Amino acid sequence: MSMSIDQVVVLVESLYAPSNDSQSISQIQTILQNIQKSDHGLSIADQLLEQPSLNCKFFGALTYTVNLNLQLPGLVSDDKDDTLTLLTTKLLQQLLVLVSDDSVIHHGGMFVIKKMLSNLALVYVSNYKHWKEPLTSYMCSIINSRAMLVPDDSSLLSDNDITHYLSKIPLELLSTVLMLSQIIVEEIIKKEVTNANQVEMHKVVHDYLFGTTERLLIGLTRLDNPLILSSWLECFSSWIVYASKAEFDSTIRYNMTPLLKFTINLMALPTPWQSPVPEKAMDTLIDVLDTNYTFFNVDTRKQLSSLIFGPWSSKFLGDMPELADQYARLCILFLEPDTVHLALKLNDDANDPNFDFLLRLTDFPGQAVVEETISSDFIDFWMQLSDSLLNDDDRFSLMLKDDKAKIERFNGKAKSLFIKISQIYWNKIHIPQDVAELEGYNNEFRVYRRDVGDLFESIFPIVRTQLYKNLVDNVLMNVNGSSQPALNDIEASLYLINAVSADFSENNVQKEILDEVSQILSSNYLELVTAYRDPNKFQHIVYTTIRFVSTIDWFYKSSAGLPYLPQILNFLFDTLVTCSMYQLISSKAIADICDNSRLSLQDSLPNFKEIIPQMINETTVEPLTRQRIVNSYASIVQGVKDPRIQGQYLHDIFSLLGKRSYEVILSLDSANNDDQDKMMDYLVSLISSVSAIGKGMQLPDSPDEVYTPEELKAVNSYWSQDPLKIHAEILEIVNNLSMLTDKLADNLSVAEEITSIFKSGMTESVGGPFVIDYSVIVEFVVAKFRTLKTTKTYPLLYGLYSNVIKSCHREMNSESVSQTLQIIYLDRLETIRSDPDIIQSVMKLFGTIISTTPSLLVGDSNMLEKVLEFGIEQLQSNERFVLQSLELFWTKLIYLRRGNHQNTMAVRRLFNETKLGNIVIYNVLKYMLLSQRSNLEFFTEILKSLVAKYPMLIKQWLLNSFKELNLQRVQSGQKTIKNYELFIKKILITRGTRAANGLIKDFWLEVNGLVDYNKKLTVL
Amino acid sequence: MAKRDLRTERIQQERKQWRKDHPFGFYARPTKAADGSLDLHNWVAGIPGKSNTMWENATYPVTIAFPEEYPAKPPKIRLPSGFYHPNVYPSGTICLSILNEDQDWRPAISLKQLMLGIQELLDTPNPTSPAQEPSWRAFEKDKVEYEKKVRQQAKVYADKH
C-alpha cells in the first residue's frame, strides 16, 4: 500500500479530530496501523516527526514504538549491534530536535518528548548489555547538539563531570534527563524477563544507570528550582519502587541515604509551605516507607524522628490542617514497623511530648469518617502498640532489667496512655445528635465503631477495670445526674462496654466488673431507655441497650446478676411488643438469655405467658420473632420440674396454636390470592412454632443429669397418661395442616416442619410432649403417601421413615415394615424411578434398615429381591447423591455387620448360590468404567467390599464380567478392555484394603485412555 | 504469648496484613483464651453478604481454625452448623476448592482471598459439589423456595445496628 506523507498526515489529524464517529475512527486506525507496521514504518515515523503538528509528531513517536516492539527482539538476539547503534542514534537525534524546538517544549509538546524518551527506554531495556549509559549519552548529545553514544567504559561520571554537565544543560532539558532515568526504571518494572537475565540487568542498572542518576540527583540538590525539584522527586519515587524490586529479585543492595536525607530536608522547609515541593517530598517519603522501610538507616530515621516529634510538626494541627491526613500517614508508616521500640520510649518521661503529639493527632477535630480519617488510620496503629505491650512483655522486663519498680512504672504509663486513647475514641464514636450528618457514611461509620470496639477489646488487658469503670461512671452520671441526659454519651459508653464485655465469661469475669454492671441495672437506666423508645427519637440507645442486656450473659449466671433477670426480660418483652422496629433484635436477645439461663427463669414464666397470645395471634409479627419467642418460652417450660405444671403451660400454648391454625385453614379457601399467600406463610410460621417448641423442649443433658430418680418416674408416668391430651393436640395441629386442605397438603415447608416435629421426640429416652408412639408416625407417613398429589415431599417422608427405623427398630418387625414398604415403595416404583432425589432417599432408607436391623428387610425375601433389583438397576445413575446412597446400601449389605446369624446366612446364600455376585460385579464394573472420575469413589467402595468379603468367588465374578463386557464392546465396535487379568490379580492381593483405591483409579484411567497428570508431574 | 513457629509467624503476618488491608464490612480476629490471652490459632470472622443479592444486609459469622501444618494445610473455616447453603456441610464446614488441600489450596493464599472467596460462594453456589441436601435440592429445583430460605437466614444474621 503506497500513500504520500500528506495523505498520512490527513489521516492522523482525522484520528485525533474530536468530531469523528467511532466507526470512521476505527477504519482510520486500521489503515494507520497497517502503515506503521509496513516496511516504510520508520521512514513514515521520521517524516511525521518533522511535521509542525503535535499530533503528527506524537504519531511519529508512536510509530517508532510500534516498530521497536516489533524489531528489537530480533535485533538483540541476532547481535545486530550496528543496526541497534544506528537506531539509537537516530532516536537520540530525533529527541534532540524535539527538545530544541520551542514550539514543542514550551507549547504543550511534552507528551511527544515523553514518548520519545520511552522509545529510548525500550532500546535500553533490550540492549542494556551494550548501552549501559543512556543518561550520559543523552546529556552529551544535548551539550554537543548532536546525537552521541558514549562508550560504556569511559562513561562513569565524576562529580566534576556532573557539575560541568549541569552548568551546560538548560534547566528544562535537565528535567527531561531525569525523566529518561525515571521512564527507564518504570519500563524495567513492567518488563518480564527470566531470572538469570533479571539478575544481570539489575547489576548493570545498579552499577551504571543508578550511579549516574544518583550523581545527577545529588548535583541537582544545589538548584532551588521547583520545576527541577518536582522532577527530582518523581524520578526518586520511581527509583524506590525499582530498587525495592531489584533487592527482592537479586542480591543487589541500594544505598538511598543521601537521596532520602535530601528528601527529608525538602519536606522540612519552614511552614507554611510556599511551593508544592515540600508536600511532594512528604508524598515521596510516604511512598518510600510504604514500599521499603529498610531504605531508612539509623541516620535517616533519627532525622525523620526529630522532625516528626519536633516543633515543625505542630503546624499540621494548626496552620496546615489540610495536610494532616498525609502527615498522619507518614507518622504511622514511620512508627509502625517498630512498635516495640516505640513502646519502650514510654519509660522515659522525655518522650511524653512525643506521645502527647500522637494523641493530639489521633484526636484530630471533626466528625470521624465524615470530616476526618486520621483517627481511623490510628486505630490499627494503637492496636499494634497494645499488641506489642502485651505480647512482648518478656522483652520489656528484660530491657528494664527485671526491676520491679521500673516495670510497674512502665505499666502505669502504658495504662495512662491507653486511658487517654480510650477517651479520644469514646468521643469519636458518638452518634451525632443530628443523624443526618452521617448520611452517605452510615456503613462506614458502623465499621469505624466496630474497629474502635476491637481496639477497646485489645487494650482492656492493659487498662483493666479502670476502663470499664470509666464507661459505667459515664452512664451513671447521665442517668442520675441530669434531667436532660446526653443520650449519645450513654450510647457511646454502652457500645464500648458491649465490645469489652463480649470477651467475658462466668469463669473469667472479675467481681469488680459484676459490681459495675449491677450499678447500671440498679439505677433507673432501663426506665430511662424505656422513656426514649419512641421511634422518632434517638433509636440507637435502644438498640445498644438491647445488645448490652444480651451480651452480659455471664452476669446472669452470677449470684449478683440473677435477681435482675426478671426486670431485663420485662424490658425486652415490653420493647418487643411496643415497637415493631425492635422485634428482631429483642427476640434475639430474649432467645439468647433464655437459652443461657433457662433454669433461672422459672419465675418469669407467668409474664412470658402473657405475651405468647400476641406473638401467636398477631399476623404482623415477623415469623423469625415468633419462632424465637416460642422457642425461648419452651426452653424455660422445659426447665419446670413438675410435669403437671409443665403440661398446663404446654396445653395452653398448643390450644392456642391449634385454634388459631384451624381458624386460618378454614378461611383459606375463601380468601383472594394475595391474602392466601400471606395466610399460607402465617400457617407455615404457626407450624414452625410447634417445631420450635419441640426443639426447646429437648432435654439439655442426659435425663439423670436433669432429673432425680423420683422426678424421672413422675415425668414418665405423667406423659404415659397424658391427662391433658397434649400428644393428641400436637397431632391434631399436624393433621389439620397436612391433611385438611389441598393447598397445604403438598407444601414443602409444612412437610419440613412436621418432619422436624416428629423427629424432635424420637431421640428422647424420657416421656415428653413430642415423644410419640412410632406407629402413629408410620401411620402418618402411609396416610400421606396415599393422599399426596405431587412427589415434592416424598424425600422428606422417606427420611422421616428412616428416622423411625433408626430410633424404633427394636420394636418393629419384618412384617409391618414390609407392609409399609409395599405402600411407600413397591406401589410407586415407577414414580420413584422418575426422580433421582426420590431414588436417593429410598436407597438411603434401605441403607438405614440394613445398617440398623437388617432382618427387617432380609426377613422378607420377596421384598429383598425387589430392592436388590432396584439397587442394581440404579448403578447406571450419574447422580452423585444417588451413587452415594447406593454405596451405603451395597457396602452395608455386603458386610452386614448388624445382621444376626440367620440374616448373615441368607445374604451369604444369595451371593454364593445365586447369580447375585456376578450381576453386581458386572454392573459395578460396567457403570464404573463409564462414570465420571468424581463418582469413581462410590463404585470403588462397593468393589472393595466384595473383594474383602468374597475373596474366593470374586475372581470368577470379575473374569466373567470382563469377558461379558469385552464381548459387548466387540459387538458395538469399541476397544476391548486389555490387561484385566493383571488387574484381577492385583486387586485380589489388596484384599479390599485402601491399597485398592489407587489400583482401581489407574485401571479406570487406562481403560478410558486418560493420563493422571498429577502422577506425571510427581515423576518428573 | 504464643509459641513462635512457622504457623504462628504466618498467622501474625496474616493478622498484620488483614489490619492493613481488609475488604469493607468484613472482620476477622483471633479469639481469646479463657485466661484472656489471644488464641492466635482460632479466629472468628464475619463475611457480609454481597449487596443486591439475597444474602445482603447480613454478616455471616465463621470460625477459622489454623491447623498445626498451616500454611502447608489450609485453615478449617466453618459457618454455623445447619447453615443453609448448597456447599456447606451440615456441620458448617465449607466445601470450597481453595479450602481443600487436595484441590486448589496454596500456602500463598491469604486470609483476605479466603474471605472474599467465601463471600463469592454465598451467592454463586457450585451445584456440582453439593454438601447438603435441603438447600442443594431447593437450589436445583425450586429457586423461589431457595431464595425465601436464604432471605430468612439473612434475617437471623442481620447486621444493622
Side-chain angles (χ1 to χ4, degrees):
Chain A
M1 179 175 49
S2 168
M3 202 177 260
S4 73
I5 186 65
D6 293 339
Q7 287 171 305
V8 176
V9 167
V10 171
L11 283 174
V12 171
E13 293 299 347
S14 311
L15 182 70
Y16 294 117
S19 55
N20 266 340
D21 61 86
S22 59
Q23 200 188 345
S24 53
I25 286 179
S26 164
Q27 283 170 352
I28 295 168
Q29 259 175 344
T30 312
I31 299 169
L32 285 173
Q33 278 166 0
N34 287 334
I35 294 171
Q36 283 181 315
K37 291 174 188 170
S38 71
D39 294 344
H40 315 292
L42 287 178
S43 151
I44 295 283
D46 285 333
Q47 291 178 65
L48 283 170
L49 281 162
E50 284 166 13
Q51 300 301 314
S53 144
L54 287 176
N55 286 340
C56 288
K57 284 184 192 297
F58 179 75
F59 203 82
L62 192 66
T63 304
Y64 260 109
T65 312
V66 171
N67 280 279
L68 288 172
N69 283 327
L70 285 172
Q71 294 179 24
L72 277 173
L75 291 175
V76 174
S77 65
D78 297 345
D79 283 337
K80 293 198 170 164
D81 294 349
D82 291 348
T83 317
L84 276 166
T85 308
L86 212 66
L87 190 60
T88 315
T89 314
K90 204 170 180 186
L91 281 169
L92 269 173
Q93 188 56 46
Q94 289 289 15
L95 179 62
L96 273 185
V97 173
L98 288 171
V99 296
S100 321
D101 185 345
D102 185 63
S103 69
V104 176
I105 198 153
H106 291 132
H107 292 90
M110 195 49 91
F111 69 106
V112 185
I113 293 169
K114 279 189 179 166
K115 193 71 205 163
M116 282 307 279
L117 290 171
S118 94
N119 286 337
L120 279 171
L122 283 178
V123 174
Y124 174 81
V125 172
S126 299
N127 196 30
Y128 62 90
K129 289 180 194 166
H130 302 110
W131 189 38
K132 294 175 180 160
E133 276 292 358
L135 297 192
T136 320
S137 297
Y138 181 40
M139 287 191 286
C140 283
S141 302
I142 294 173
I143 290 167
N144 295 296
S145 301
R146 67 182 173 86
M148 289 176 73
L149 293 187
V150 177
D152 296 332
D153 52 357
S154 63
S155 61
L156 284 176
L157 295 177
S158 68
D159 288 348
N160 284 342
D161 292 335
I162 286 291
T163 313
H164 171 70
Y165 282 10
L166 294 181
S167 64
K168 294 277 182 186
I169 300 174
L171 277 181
E172 63 252 35
L173 295 199
L174 278 174
S175 288
T176 63
V177 180
L178 293 178
M179 256 179 230
L180 177 59
S181 178
Q182 180 188 343
I183 291 172
I184 288 175
V185 286
E186 285 170 355
E187 198 62 46
I188 300 174
I189 294 167
K190 275 193 275 174
K191 195 175 163 72
E192 283 183 17
V193 282
T194 59
N195 271 349
N197 285 341
Q198 216 171 33
V199 171
E200 191 184 349
M201 181 194 276
H202 288 321
K203 186 165 171 23
V204 172
V205 170
H206 177 266
D207 294 351
Y208 293 86
L209 187 61
F210 179 66
T212 310
T213 304
E214 188 186 23
R215 286 187 188 87
L216 189 63
L217 288 171
I218 290 171
L220 286 170
T221 56
R222 288 171 223 141
L223 300 178
D224 183 20
N225 178 297
L227 183 74
I228 290 291
L229 290 174
S230 198
S231 301
W232 191 106
L233 289 166
E234 282 168 21
C235 179
F236 180 45
S237 277
S238 295
W239 269 97
I240 286 293
V241 179
Y242 165 74
S244 195
K245 178 178 159 48
E247 289 200 350
F248 184 80
D249 292 342
S250 67
T251 52
I252 300 290
R253 291 294 170 262
Y254 279 83
N255 176 8
M256 295 294 191
T257 305
L259 301 176
L260 274 175
K261 279 191 167 175
F262 179 68
T263 311
I264 297 170
N265 286 338
L266 278 182
M267 183 184 73
L269 287 172
T271 52
W273 290 330
Q274 304 300 324
S275 87
V277 171
E279 190 183 336
K280 211 164 182 175
M282 187 189 279
D283 283 341
T284 306
L285 289 169
I286 289 170
D287 286 346
V288 182
L289 287 165
D290 209 14
T291 311
N292 194 340
Y293 182 79
T294 60
F295 284 139
F296 283 84
N297 64 7
V298 178
D299 275 357
T300 40
R301 280 181 211 181
K302 264 189 189 163
Q303 190 187 0
L304 198 50
S305 178
S306 62
L307 208 57
I308 284 175
F309 293 123
W312 170 84
S313 61
S314 60
K315 295 285 182 187
F316 296 100
L317 296 169
D319 297 347
M320 302 193 296
E322 70 282 2
L323 291 172
D325 267 345
Q326 250 168 297
Y327 180 68
R329 196 162 147 65
L330 177 82
C331 295
I332 290 169
L333 285 170
F334 177 63
L335 298 169
E336 216 172 35
D338 195 3
T339 43
V340 174
H341 182 71
L342 180 71
L344 201 66
K345 285 188 171 177
L346 273 171
N347 200 40
D348 184 352
D349 291 347
N351 293 316
D352 287 358
N354 299 349
F355 285 100
D356 285 344
F357 173 72
L358 292 175
L359 289 175
R360 277 195 292 142
L361 204 52
T362 307
D363 198 13
F364 198 80
Q367 171 67 51
V369 177
V370 182
E371 291 166 351
E372 63 86 16
T373 54
I374 296 177
S375 62
S376 176
D377 291 341
F378 264 101
I379 294 174
D380 186 34
F381 171 77
W382 293 120
M383 272 169 101
Q384 290 208 37
L385 186 67
S386 75
D387 277 358
S388 293
L389 284 161
L390 291 166
N391 294 337
D392 295 302
D393 51 348
D394 295 349
R395 233 163 114 187
F396 292 119
S397 297
L398 199 70
M399 284 168 166
L400 299 168
K401 294 177 180 134
D402 283 329
D403 182 327
K404 276 191 183 161
K406 276 187 185 167
I407 293 171
E408 202 171 311
R409 190 173 171 281
F410 177 74
N411 289 339
K413 289 201 73 172
K415 185 174 170 179
S416 151
L417 174 74
F418 280 105
I419 286 286
K420 286 178 192 162
I421 291 165
S422 69
Q423 279 159 353
I424 292 171
Y425 281 105
W426 175 79
N427 257 316
K428 287 282 178 191
I429 64 149
H430 273 55
I431 291 168
Q433 289 290 357
D434 179 7
V435 284
E437 281 179 35
L438 290 176
E439 210 177 312
Y441 293 92
N442 278 311
N443 282 337
E444 286 78 2
F445 192 63
R446 188 166 51 85
V447 170
Y448 174 82
R449 278 162 60 98
R450 194 173 67 200
D451 289 347
V452 172
D454 285 351
L455 172 67
F456 271 61
E457 220 183 309
S458 293
I459 66 176
F460 182 76
I462 299 171
V463 286
R464 314 292 303 173
T465 42
Q466 179 68 50
L467 179 69
Y468 213 85
K469 190 175 172 356
N470 289 353
L471 294 168
V472 171
D473 284 353
N474 175 268
V475 174
L476 295 174
M477 187 187 77
N478 272 292
V479 174
N480 300 329
S482 164
S483 57
Q484 279 294 315
L487 292 182
N488 56 354
D489 273 7
I490 302 178
E491 196 278 338
S493 299
L494 214 56
Y495 182 90
L496 295 170
I497 287 173
N498 289 346
V500 177
S501 298
D503 274 340
F504 297 147
S505 72
E506 63 266 39
N507 301 321
N508 68 12
V509 67
Q510 292 165 287
K511 189 183 170 303
E512 293 93 317
I513 299 287
L514 294 173
D515 293 343
E516 295 294 337
V517 176
S518 296
Q519 283 197 59
I520 295 182
L521 295 177
S522 12
S523 71
N524 292 327
Y525 179 67
L526 292 180
E527 285 86 339
L528 176 91
V529 178
T530 306
Y532 282 91
R533 225 167 30 195
D534 186 328
N536 299 318
K537 289 184 180 164
F538 189 69
Q539 305 154 15
H540 293 85
I541 187 102
V542 185
Y543 283 112
T544 308
T545 304
I546 294 170
R547 280 208 194 290
F548 168 65
V549 295
S550 71
T551 305
I552 52 168
D553 53 346
W554 36 264
F555 177 69
Y556 309 127
K557 289 179 183 159
S558 69
S559 56
L562 207 54
Y564 293 100
L565 262 178
Q567 95 180 65
I568 298 292
L569 277 182
N570 285 343
F571 166 75
L572 289 172
F573 289 148
D574 202 29
T575 310
L576 180 82
V577 297
T578 315
C579 310
S580 60
M581 62 194 297
Y582 305 122
Q583 256 189 29
L584 273 178
I585 186 170
S586 310
S587 63
K588 180 156 183 7
I590 293 169
D592 289 345
I593 292 172
C594 293
D595 199 33
N596 283 312
S597 316
R598 56 169 76 187
L599 290 175
S600 317
L601 286 165
Q602 305 298 311
D603 295 342
S604 304
L605 266 177
N607 291 344
F608 215 143
K609 196 180 163 189
E610 275 177 32
I611 67 154
I612 291 294
Q614 191 177 348
M615 286 293 111
I616 289 173
N617 293 332
E618 289 275 347
T619 51
T620 52
V621 171
E622 271 273 349
L624 181 61
T625 304
R626 183 179 294 116
Q627 204 177 327
R628 277 172 175 165
I629 294 299
V630 169
N631 175 264
S632 303
Y633 181 67
S635 65
I636 305 173
V637 170
Q638 186 282 319
V640 175
K641 292 289 168 71
D642 185 338
R644 287 167 305 173
I645 302 173
Q646 192 185 61
Q648 191 59 54
Y649 278 118
L650 290 169
H651 169 66
D652 292 346
I653 191 168
F654 285 130
S655 306
L656 203 59
L657 282 164
K659 186 168 166 283
R660 189 72 181 124
S661 54
Y662 187 64
E663 281 168 9
V664 180
I665 291 169
L666 286 186
S667 54
L668 193 61
D669 286 333
S670 56
N672 65 36
N673 281 352
D674 275 0
D675 285 348
Q676 262 185 9
D677 284 349
K678 283 179 194 157
M679 288 159 85
M680 301 256 277
D681 284 346
Y682 176 57
L683 283 166
V684 170
S685 171
L686 292 182
I687 190 78
S688 73
S689 298
V690 179
S691 154
I693 299 174
K695 286 182 189 121
M697 285 300 295
Q698 279 174 338
L699 292 186
D701 224 323
S702 62
D704 48 349
E705 296 282 334
V706 180
Y707 296 114
T708 63
E710 290 74 31
E711 283 170 344
L712 207 56
K713 207 170 153 190
V715 168
N716 277 326
S717 153
Y718 179 85
W719 287 109
S720 66
Q721 292 167 24
D722 189 12
L724 296 175
K725 309 277 180 245
I726 291 170
H727 290 139
E729 281 182 316
I730 296 173
L731 289 172
E732 193 182 340
I733 298 172
V734 166
N735 281 329
N736 286 348
L737 272 138
S738 64
M739 309 278 192
L740 220 54
T741 163
D742 286 350
K743 292 199 167 57
L744 290 168
D746 285 12
N747 186 295
L748 194 64
S749 300
V750 170
E752 276 173 358
E753 296 303 340
I754 290 174
T755 310
S756 158
I757 290 167
F758 283 133
K759 280 184 189 169
S760 59
M762 279 185 197
T763 48
E764 299 287 5
S765 55
V766 191
F770 288 86
V771 183
I772 293 166
D773 191 278
Y774 83 88
S775 60
V776 175
I777 304 174
V778 175
E779 268 173 41
F780 171 82
V781 170
V782 169
K784 282 304 288 180
F785 268 104
R786 282 188 166 139
T787 53
L788 279 172
K789 296 213 165 45
T790 70
T791 58
K792 262 198 304 190
T793 56
Y794 273 28
L796 284 169
L797 292 168
Y798 287 122
L800 180 60
Y801 190 54
S802 285
N803 280 87
V804 173
I805 301 265
K806 260 187 221 162
S807 319
C808 311
H809 56 95
R810 286 186 192 85
E811 301 155 52
M812 300 169 93
N813 60 51
S814 163
E815 201 184 344
S816 70
V817 171
S818 287
Q819 279 168 7
T820 308
L821 288 179
Q822 177 68 40
I823 298 159
I824 70 171
Y825 168 60
L826 282 184
D827 290 355
R828 20 193 69 71
L829 205 49
E830 280 317 302
T831 314
I832 294 169
R833 281 198 178 102
S834 67
D835 186 335
D837 283 347
I838 305 177
I839 298 170
Q840 176 225 346
S841 49
V842 165
M843 286 316 301
K844 255 175 102 174
L845 166 65
F846 295 140
T848 306
I849 299 176
I850 294 293
S851 57
T852 48
T853 309
S855 57
L856 295 178
L857 187 61
V858 178
D860 180 345
S861 54
N862 285 333
M863 182 61 73
L864 179 65
E865 195 181 318
K866 300 275 187 329
V867 170
L868 292 175
E869 269 174 30
F870 188 69
I872 291 166
E873 171 195 310
Q874 292 308 320
L875 284 167
Q876 61 187 296
S877 173
N878 291 319
E879 299 284 336
R880 194 174 165 77
F881 276 134
V882 170
L883 292 173
Q884 200 173 27
S885 62
L886 284 165
E887 180 215 314
L888 174 93
F889 171 74
W890 282 111
T891 53
K892 297 286 178 194
L893 180 79
I894 293 163
Y895 285 120
L896 211 69
R897 295 207 164 100
R898 291 287 175 90
N900 56 27
H901 179 68
Q902 212 178 343
N903 304 149
T904 312
M905 291 313 292
V907 172
R908 269 196 174 278
R909 258 201 304 277
L910 279 173
F911 278 99
N912 289 342
E913 295 167 18
T914 72
K915 288 186 173 173
L916 180 66
N918 242 325
I919 297 171
V920 174
I921 282 286
Y922 169 77
N923 282 282
V924 165
L925 286 177
K926 181 177 176 181
Y927 295 113
M928 179 183 86
L929 294 173
L930 291 173
S931 97
Q932 57 202 45
R933 187 169 170 174
S934 56
N935 288 338
L936 195 56
E937 56 179 306
F938 308 119
F939 293 101
T940 301
E941 291 307 313
I942 303 174
L943 199 51
K944 275 163 62 184
S945 61
L946 283 166
V947 172
K949 196 73 183 176
Y950 297 98
M952 307 299 282
L953 297 168
I954 186 87
K955 185 178 176 184
Q956 198 52 48
W957 294 343
L958 285 165
L959 275 170
N960 295 345
S961 301
F962 277 122
K963 278 180 190 161
E964 176 66 24
L965 285 171
N966 270 345
L967 197 66
Q968 282 178 13
R969 285 181 170 232
V970 170
Q971 281 166 357
S972 60
Q974 282 179 285
K975 267 188 181 176
T976 54
I977 302 163
K978 311 270 184 230
N979 297 331
Y980 64 80
E981 288 93 347
L982 184 64
F983 170 71
I984 294 172
K985 272 182 197 165
K986 284 184 179 174
I987 202 161
L988 287 176
I989 295 169
T990 66
R991 292 185 200 160
T993 60
R994 197 180 288 177
N997 294 7
L999 192 71
I1000 295 170
K1001 191 184 79 183
D1002 291 345
F1003 184 66
W1004 180 89
L1005 286 168
E1006 191 189 320
V1007 173
N1008 286 293
L1010 298 168
V1011 179
D1012 187 353
Y1013 286 102
N1014 287 335
K1015 217 168 188 177
K1016 288 264 175 200
L1017 280 175
T1018 319
V1019 173
L1020 282 172
Chain B
M1 198 173 125
K3 207 178 94 193
R4 297 282 169 170
D5 50 29
L6 186 62
R7 165 173 66 157
T8 312
E9 290 293 339
R10 170 63 187 269
I11 296 171
Q12 291 277 27
Q13 233 179 43
E14 285 293 331
R15 188 172 179 225
K16 205 168 175 181
Q17 201 48 45
W18 176 266
R19 278 175 166 181
K20 249 189 174 172
D21 171 32
H22 62 262
F24 182 78
F26 289 68
Y27 68 86
R29 52 173 172 263
T31 52
K32 288 208 171 158
D35 63 354
S37 64
L38 275 187
D39 179 359
L40 275 177
H41 303 145
N42 291 289
W43 288 37
V44 286
I47 298 169
K50 275 191 182 175
S51 308
N52 305 318
T53 71
M54 58 183 101
W55 300 85
E56 69 182 346
N57 297 329
T59 302
Y60 302 94
V62 292
T63 57
I64 308 171
F66 295 94
E68 218 163 292
E69 300 87 344
Y70 176 79
K73 285 191 176 179
K76 190 167 176 65
I77 305 188
R78 289 169 83 152
L79 281 151
S81 59
F83 193 84
Y84 191 78
H85 188 282
N87 305 116
V88 178
Y89 287 99
S91 63
T93 298
I94 300 163
C95 174
L96 181 63
S97 67
I98 51 170
L99 285 170
N100 188 331
E101 62 169 316
D102 295 328
Q103 293 179 22
D104 295 335
W105 166 254
R106 299 285 175 275
I109 293 178
S110 66
L111 185 64
K112 179 179 162 183
Q113 287 168 310
L114 291 176
M115 294 289 104
L116 287 170
I118 296 169
Q119 188 195 40
E120 182 67 29
L121 181 73
L122 287 178
D123 195 49
T124 49
N126 175 7
T128 59
S129 276
Q132 59 168 261
E133 286 178 48
S135 62
W136 175 76
R137 192 174 288 130
F139 181 77
E140 290 282 85
K141 287 189 167 175
D142 190 347
K143 287 275 186 332
V144 176
E145 174 71 16
Y146 177 74
E147 178 163 354
K148 205 169 170 181
K149 287 262 165 66
V150 169
R151 288 200 186 275
Q152 270 171 13
Q153 181 170 255
K155 279 185 185 163
V156 176
Y157 301 106
D159 57 10
K160 292 287 172 212
H161 304 285

